[in-house]
């Protein structure tokens, strides 16, 4: 375990982000209480959406930070076609539709991360291009029935069956697609004085 | 679990390859008994090395296959600089040296996979470019002391701490770097009639 000089708080319920932050061998707690309600004005440019969301989650954190605390929040969107933003699906039908759009195409996954303490605040984004092979309807059905990816932007988890069978290529960070760009989080924690 | 029409045998001791094949939701057994001794003639072109190795493991399998069996073997090499092939390190010193070569550079990971039954045999390769951030000596020491990656080509595991903190970008398949190009293995299993 790497010694941390600060108390790190992860403001995210995503088990993947928890796994990635844990993989840095640092201790942290999870606290997702925020007054922020996910919303962005119509017409917001696609790449700006995750920044607004991650900022909102950070700014809406339910209490003032202590001086030795660092809060990390994040948001991921899938952008396909002409700036079409795919978030989490609201139904099975919507998930089928999303995976149909991704099938046989290359899409972009953008994650924004906000790191803040009482002294400073910064955000960064990371973008990865993901190419899916053509998915058969039976494969989409199998995946939705067995993995139920309804908590995931774009209706898929890169680290699950569908990522194994159908992602032929990535350009960028794999972990950005899985949860957040953990190499940039590591760097930010060093800049914030949390790690040597 | 996906129903398989054949008995799939994985001829590899790698826990990562086991995890990837398992992630396809198929049943398989592991059997690595082979008479092949890992060796390639000096002057072999770098990209040919994993093909020779994976072929050798397959051809040297310790018994004749049954008609309903499919054998999968694989080999991975890391190619950096001018065709320099990095396999598994033989000592801590060699691991330090390898990670020093990879630090701050882009290298190529090539995996060859051989799939065969009594009726057919095929091989395929996959190549991924991996970009490492500059590693500090203390980071190399931390990684080697805590993760002991001595069973891994190039002395690193993309799915471990070092992959989290220092890989800024990939071009190609992530799973190819982790163990083998599982999307191509899935396709081959379909072509061999093992999966619908």
């Amino acid at each position: 375990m790497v010694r941390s000089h600060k108390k790190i708080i992860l403001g995210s319920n995503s088990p993947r982000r928890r796994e990635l932050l844990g993989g840095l061998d640092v201790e942290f707690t999870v606290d997702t209480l925020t007054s922020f309600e996910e919303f962005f004005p119509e017409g917001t440019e696609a790449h700006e959406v995750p920044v607004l969301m991650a900022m909102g989650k950070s700014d809406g954190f339910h209490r003032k930070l202590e001086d030795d605390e660092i809060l990390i929040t994040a948001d991921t969107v899938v952008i396909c076609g002409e700036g079409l933003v795919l978030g989490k699906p609201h139904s099975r039908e919507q998930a089928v539709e999303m995976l149909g759009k991704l099938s046989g195409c290359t899409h972009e996954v953008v994650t924004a991360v906000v790191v803040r303490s009482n002294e400073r605040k910064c955000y960064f984004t990371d973008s990865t291009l993901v190419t899916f092979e053509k998915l058969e309807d039976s494969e989409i059905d199998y995946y939705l029935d067995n993995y139920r990816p309804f908590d995931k932007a774009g209706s898929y988890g890169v680290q699950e069956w569908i990522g194994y069978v159908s992602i032929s290529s990535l350009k960028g960070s794999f972990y950005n697609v899985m949860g957040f760009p953990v190499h940039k989080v590591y760097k930010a924690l060093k800049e914030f004085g949390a790690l040597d």
Side-chain angles (χ1 to χ4, degrees), chain A:
Chain A
M1 188 62 61
V2 175
R3 198 166 55 91
S4 172
H5 309 297
K6 306 273 182 177
K7 289 181 184 146
I8 300 167
I9 303 167
L10 176 63
S12 171
N13 270 321
S14 155
R16 282 83 53 192
R17 292 197 186 118
R18 223 171 285 184
E19 185 183 332
L20 292 173
L21 191 55
L24 292 182
D25 292 351
V26 295
E27 279 182 30
F28 63 95
T29 55
V30 174
D31 187 346
T32 58
L33 264 184
T34 177
S35 60
F36 180 64
E37 291 183 27
E38 297 202 18
F39 164 84
F40 56 90
E42 209 167 319
T44 306
E45 202 278 316
H47 295 79
E48 277 303 306
V49 172
V51 179
L52 287 180
M53 297 292 108
M55 277 292 183
K57 292 172 191 176
S58 184
D59 293 342
F61 193 65
H62 65 102
R63 64 170 175 77
K64 202 178 166 322
L65 294 179
E66 302 291 329
D67 284 343
D68 62 349
E69 289 180 326
I70 293 177
L71 175 66
I72 302 172
T73 55
D75 192 75
T76 299
V77 296
V78 167
I79 303 174
C80 88
E82 295 295 312
L84 178 68
V85 174
L86 307 182
K88 297 171 188 172
H90 294 298
S91 63
R92 193 181 193 283
E93 289 62 42
Q94 216 176 15
V96 170
E97 199 188 327
M98 285 186 189
L99 291 175
K101 279 195 209 312
L102 302 180
S103 168
C105 297
T106 296
H107 62 270
E108 184 180 7
V109 177
V110 180
T111 300
V113 180
V114 175
V115 183
R116 79 167 164 91
S117 66
N118 283 338
E119 274 181 351
R120 47 191 298 196
K121 177 180 184 179
C122 74
Y123 82 86
F124 47 87
T125 62
D126 200 70
S127 162
T128 307
L129 294 177
V130 181
T131 302
F132 263 68
E133 312 246 1
K134 189 103 189 111
L135 292 165
E136 292 173 27
D137 291 347
S138 61
E139 290 173 327
I140 291 177
D141 284 338
Y142 177 82
Y143 178 61
L144 295 179
D145 290 343
N146 290 279
Y147 289 87
R148 312 189 58 75
F150 305 114
D151 62 333
K152 296 183 176 73
S155 309
Y156 78 93
V158 67
Q159 73 290 347
E160 292 180 342
W161 183 86
I162 202 155
Y164 282 29
V165 307
S166 69
I167 295 181
S168 54
S169 178
L170 291 181
K171 200 171 162 189
S173 161
F174 172 86
Y175 295 120
N176 181 50
V177 184
M178 184 171 154
F180 56 29
V182 63
H183 65 292
K184 289 186 177 175
V185 172
Y186 176 72
K187 205 180 275 181
L189 289 175
K190 289 212 274 189
E191 286 163 7
F192 272 70
L195 305 175
D196 292 323

